[in-house]
């Protein structure tokens, strides 16, 4: 995965009704470690990383890089949105397109925060890179992620077997006003 290319970064924080999408800050370190070490979060992502390893690797502030948004609720990180260029994607339909990823702490599940944050990130991307299609890949067994993809307007491109499970690849295209 690579960054999005000619996009000014970091953007101004993106505000929604309940959330702020912003760059990572030193105060987010503990939440990042919790997110990456969570067995629940990584059920469909190959498993969590060991907490002690994360503590060593992330000795200071979380790394800032284009396409990585912290999802902030009332001043605390509850998740992360990732927008990266899928240059090395092994599915031809996804190669080179913007790729949406997201991780949310289990305590933030079930409140619509992922839909709100992802919709805001997609809206930002549509303004930054007009007409840019976005892909999303998830395991078909991940019912919550499949529901979120549908809610966001992703349509199925294909299903395929990878990492020992059936995967779903969807695509989202920004709506362009008719002339």
């Amino acid at each position: 995965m690579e960054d999005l290319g000619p996009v000014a970064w970091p953007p101004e924080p993106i505000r929604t009704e309940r959330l702020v999408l912003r760059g990572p800050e030193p105060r987010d370190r503990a939440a990042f470690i919790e997110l990456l070490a969570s067995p629940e979060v990584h059920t469909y992502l190959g498993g969590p990383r060991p907490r002690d390893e994360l503590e060593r690797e992330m000795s200071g502030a979380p790394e800032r890089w284009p396409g990585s948004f912290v999802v902030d609720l009332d001043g605390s990180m509850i998740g992360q949105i990732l927008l990266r260029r899928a240059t090395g994607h092994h599915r031809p339909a996804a190669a080179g397109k913007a790729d949406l990823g997201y991780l949310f702490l289990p305590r933030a599940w079930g409140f619509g925060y992922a839909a709100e944050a992802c919709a805001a990130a997609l809206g930002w991307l549509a303004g930054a890179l007009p007409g840019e299609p976005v892909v999303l890949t998830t395991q078909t067994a991940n019912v919550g992620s499949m529901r979120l993809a549908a809610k966001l307007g992703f349509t199925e491109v294909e299903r395929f077997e990878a990492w020992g499970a059936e995967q779903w690849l969807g695509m989202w295209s920004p709506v362009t006003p008719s002339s």
Side-chain angles (χ1 to χ4, degrees):
M1 296 285 205
E2 295 179 12
D3 68 33
L4 295 169
V7 174
W9 196 266
E12 290 295 317
I14 300 166
R15 298 181 189 287
T16 70
E17 184 179 329
R18 303 177 292 172
L19 307 170
V20 176
L21 277 63
R22 58 170 174 78
E25 298 174 358
R27 65 185 166 119
D28 301 320
R29 181 182 178 274
F32 266 108
I33 290 171
E34 183 181 351
L35 192 65
L36 298 173
S38 169
E40 296 85 7
V41 171
H42 290 274
T43 298
Y44 301 102
L45 298 171
R49 301 226 0 240
R51 185 174 290 277
D52 59 337
E53 180 182 295
L54 291 164
E55 292 279 356
R56 279 192 309 276
E57 286 179 12
M58 198 181 302
S59 59
E63 187 178 347
R64 296 178 71 106
W65 42 270
S68 174
F69 291 99
V70 162
V71 180
D72 182 307
L73 173 67
D74 299 328
S76 295
M77 178 181 166
I78 61 165
Q80 179 183 31
I81 302 287
L82 304 164
L83 285 166
R84 306 287 279 172
R85 180 89 39 216
T87 53
H89 205 290
H90 62 278
R91 305 310 295 180
K97 294 186 176 57
D99 182 85
L100 174 68
Y102 42 85
L103 300 170
F104 284 82
L105 293 167
R107 67 176 173 266
W109 295 357
F111 298 99
Y113 298 135
E116 186 175 331
C118 288
L122 289 169
W124 169 80
L125 185 70
L129 295 172
E132 180 80 25
V134 180
V135 295
L136 180 153
T137 306
T138 188
Q139 282 189 21
T140 56
N142 188 343
V143 176
S145 191
M146 293 287 294
R147 217 177 7 248
L148 177 59
K151 186 174 192 169
L152 292 169
F154 281 83
T155 56
E156 183 172 330
V157 173
E158 67 177 309
R159 292 179 187 221
F160 58 96
E161 222 24 67
W163 306 289
E166 184 181 55
Q167 307 294 318
W168 182 90
L169 173 65
M171 190 171 306
W172 175 89
S173 294
V175 177
T176 52
S178 305
S179 0

